[in-house]
């Protein structure tokens, strides 16, 4: 990424805090539709937020630095928008899980069921079996995740594929987690093991970073990296921008914006352990879940397998795998998934009231709205936020 810098003394028409997909989309729209001069700052040393990727020279794999990112959407506006900046491969995401020394397809489907029970059930027979296996929990509405999982898919499948995986993911006994975390567990009574059901799916043909760079290729958009919005020694800081009345789009943590005045919103984070193998392909798939308690990580990502179309450019003798470990996040950790307990939701609602009163500032993205979003949802909310909130702030731009 070549850093753009603000090369004149003029104050920008809009400052965007955070170079993730929300910020980049708003910046692109502001430059294109309003002719605005936009300056983006980000505390990281790259654009793209958590969707950022880079090439691993040894293996030829495109590494998704913050974990697997897979683009999929059924939203026509979003699909048309992203195709302005990148074409997509024909990649279709499929996940597999290792349980008790055997590999099964996920989400749970007729293939998983018949393999697990060494049977040849028809869809109707499999449906009846799972209803029976819910036992005394059938027809109930349990409050905890453990019982909800059994009620939804029956005890044997739940204990094989969900219970221990979820326990590792949350570092909490599923019997102590709220049922709302899973809401529903998809079971397909066909052999369809495509992970997503969306109309469009794929990976950016030239990689995520090339896509993001094209979004902000407009010369009216400038970028400063390694810049902390709360560092008053640099010009694009909160205090100075608020005093100058410059419109701001803020995509950082909402509680951080208000200096944690009401308390900390809670998140989960992910740690990655890299393992390299002297072979061209270790798992034979991009994502392998590990459902058993005796494996400490939740899943492993083999990045080369996201891009089979690049096989000729990849090293046939080396591959790189990242093992994924989940834990609670502290202030200095990368926030990934909002915990979203009732207490967290209530706390966020109070922060949202403060945000609504912060005139001239638009809060967006995962961190700014305390939401877990897929990429297409971030872009959709950014396009809407530009129309509804940002465009009126730029009415003065000539």
């Amino acid at each position: 990424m070549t850093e753009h810098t603000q090369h004149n003394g003029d104050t920008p028409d809009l400052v965007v805090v955070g170079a993730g997909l929300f910020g980049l989309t708003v910046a692109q729209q502001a430059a294109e539709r309003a002719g605005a001069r936009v300056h983006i700052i980000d505390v990281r040393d790259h654009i793209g937020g958590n969707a950022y990727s880079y090439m691993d020279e040894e293996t030829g794999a495109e590494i998704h630095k913050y974990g697997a990112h897979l683009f999929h959407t059924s939203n026509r506006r979003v699909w048309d928008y992203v195709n302005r900046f990148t074409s997509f491969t024909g990649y279709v995401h499929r996940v597999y899980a290792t349980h008790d020394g055997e590999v099964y397809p996920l989400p749970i489907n007729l293939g998983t069921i018949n393999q697990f029970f060494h049977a040849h059930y028809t869809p109707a027979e499999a449906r009846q079996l799972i209803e029976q296996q819910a036992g005394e929990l059938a027809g109930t509405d349990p409050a905890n995740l453990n019982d909800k999982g059994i009620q939804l898919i029956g005890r044997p499948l739940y204990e094989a594929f969900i219970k221990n995986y979820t326990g590792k993911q949350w570092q909490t006994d599923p019997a102590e987690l709220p049922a709302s975390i899973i809401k529903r567990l998809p079971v397909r009574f066909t052999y369809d093991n495509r992970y997503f059901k969306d109309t469009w799916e794929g990976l950016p043909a030239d990689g995520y970073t090339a896509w993001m760079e094209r979004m902000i290729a407009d010369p009216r958009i400038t970028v400063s990296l390694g810049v902390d919005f709360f560092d008053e020694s640099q010009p694009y800081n909160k205090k100075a921008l608020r005093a100058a009345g410059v419109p701001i789009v803020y995509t950082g943590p909402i509680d951080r914006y208000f200096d944690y005045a009401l308390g900390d919103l809670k998140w989960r984070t992910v740690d990655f352990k890299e393992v390299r193998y002297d072979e061209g392909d270790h798992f034979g798939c991009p994502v392998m879940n590990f459902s058993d308690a005796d494996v400490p990580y939740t899943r492993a990502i083999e990045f080369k397998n996201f891009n089979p179309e690049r096989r000729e450019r990849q090293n046939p003798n080396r591959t790189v795998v990242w093992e994924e470990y989940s834990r609670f996040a502290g202030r200095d950790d990368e926030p990934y998934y909002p915990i979203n307990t009732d207490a967290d939701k209530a706390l966020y609602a109070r922060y949202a009231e403060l945000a609504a009163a912060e005139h001239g500032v638009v809060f967006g993205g995962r961190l700014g709205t305390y939401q877990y979003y897929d990429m297409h949802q971030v872009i959709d909310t950014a396009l809407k936020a530009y129309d509804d909130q940002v465009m009126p702030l730029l009415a003065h731009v000539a």
Side-chain angles (χ1 to χ4, degrees), residues 20-36:
L21 270 172
F22 190 97
L24 297 181
T25 300
V26 169
Q28 187 278 327
Q29 290 282 284
E32 178 179 84
R33 295 172 59 186

Side-chain angles (χ1 to χ4, degrees), residues 45-337:
D45 62 358
H46 60 75
I47 66 166
N50 281 12
Y52 170 74
S53 67
Y54 61 91
M55 295 304 295
D56 179 66
E57 292 184 7
E58 183 190 38
T59 62
E62 179 184 344
I63 306 292
H64 303 184
K65 183 173 181 178
Y66 303 93
H69 275 68
L70 308 157
F71 193 81
H72 54 96
T73 187
S74 296
N75 184 319
R76 167 62 79 176
R77 184 186 187 192
V78 170
W79 182 243
D80 288 346
Y81 179 75
V82 298
N83 273 274
R84 294 179 53 190
F85 310 105
T86 182
S87 57
F88 287 85
T89 68
Y91 176 80
V92 174
H93 191 47
R94 292 183 168 87
V95 173
Y96 296 86
T98 298
H99 163 64
D100 200 18
E102 195 168 343
V103 175
Y104 297 83
L106 291 181
I108 294 169
N109 61 76
L110 196 56
T112 321
I113 293 166
N114 278 330
Q115 182 181 348
F116 185 80
F117 292 108
H118 306 289
H120 51 88
Y121 294 118
T122 66
E125 289 168 342
R127 192 184 300 273
Q128 184 178 21
L129 173 74
I130 284 179
E131 288 175 359
Q132 291 171 349
Q133 290 178 341
E136 71 281 3
L137 294 169
T140 65
D141 188 19
N144 73 75
L145 188 152
N146 189 79
D147 291 354
K148 184 68 174 176
I150 295 168
Q151 183 251 328
L152 286 170
I153 64 171
R155 187 178 298 274
L157 290 170
Y158 165 76
E159 292 187 346
F161 297 107
I162 308 299
K163 180 178 181 177
N164 293 317
Y165 185 94
T166 303
K168 290 186 290 185
Q169 193 173 31
W170 289 90
Q171 294 176 300
T172 305
D173 185 330
E176 298 174 12
L177 292 169
S180 59
I181 288 176
I182 51 173
K183 295 178 184 174
R184 53 182 292 275
L185 284 171
V187 178
R188 296 179 187 159
F189 296 100
T190 69
Y191 290 96
D192 176 15
N193 71 328
R194 178 182 170 185
Y195 196 78
F196 302 116
K197 290 186 174 181
D198 282 308
T199 307
W200 299 287
E201 179 178 359
L203 295 170
D206 303 319
Y208 280 102
T209 299
W211 166 13
M212 311 293 172
E213 287 178 339
R214 291 181 196 128
M215 290 180 72
I216 54 170
D218 191 308
R220 290 170 291 198
I221 301 174
T222 53
V223 180
S224 294
L225 300 173
V227 173
D228 185 346
F229 179 59
F230 302 100
D231 176 6
E232 294 182 6
S233 71
Q234 60 84 25
Y236 298 100
N237 68 75
K238 175 186 172 183
K239 183 177 179 181
L241 292 170
R242 295 299 285 143
V246 178
I248 296 168
V249 171
Y250 176 80
T251 69
I254 189 170
D255 51 357
R256 175 69 182 94
Y257 182 92
F258 295 104
D259 198 25
Y260 306 104
L262 304 176
D264 291 39
L265 290 165
K266 295 182 176 60
W267 295 79
R268 293 197 64 73
T269 191
V270 174
D271 297 318
F272 299 101
K273 178 184 176 183
E274 182 176 286
V275 185
R276 291 176 182 261
Y277 295 95
D278 291 322
E279 52 190 316
D281 190 353
H282 185 68
F283 285 116
C285 64
V287 178
M288 179 66 74
N289 285 8
F290 289 87
S291 303
D292 300 334
D294 59 354
V295 178
Y297 44 94
T298 54
R299 62 180 183 172
I301 305 165
E302 186 164 10
F303 293 101
K304 284 171 71 172
N305 289 326
F306 285 126
N307 298 101
E309 77 283 356
R310 299 177 188 166
R311 194 65 73 192
E312 291 183 2
R313 289 177 278 159
Q314 295 173 342
N315 185 341
N317 301 311
R318 289 282 281 170
T319 191
V320 57
V321 168
W322 281 17
E323 297 167 354
E324 188 171 309
Y325 300 78
S326 177
R327 62 179 172 84
F328 289 99
R331 279 191 188 178
D332 295 331
D333 290 317
E334 211 61 69
Y336 277 76
Y337 306 105

Side-chain angles (χ1 to χ4, degrees), residues 37-52:
R37 292 163 305 145
V38 185
H39 192 64
I40 303 171
I41 65 171
D42 199 297
V43 72
R44 292 172 172 174
D45 62 358
H46 60 75
I47 66 166
N50 281 12
Y52 170 74

Side-chain angles (χ1 to χ4, degrees), residues 242 254 257-258 348-363 368 389:
R242 295 299 285 143
I254 189 170
Y257 182 92
F258 295 104
Y348 169 69
R350 293 172 63 203
Y351 274 120
E353 288 181 9
L354 294 180
E358 199 79 347
H359 299 296
V361 182
V362 175
F363 292 78
Q389 297 173 268

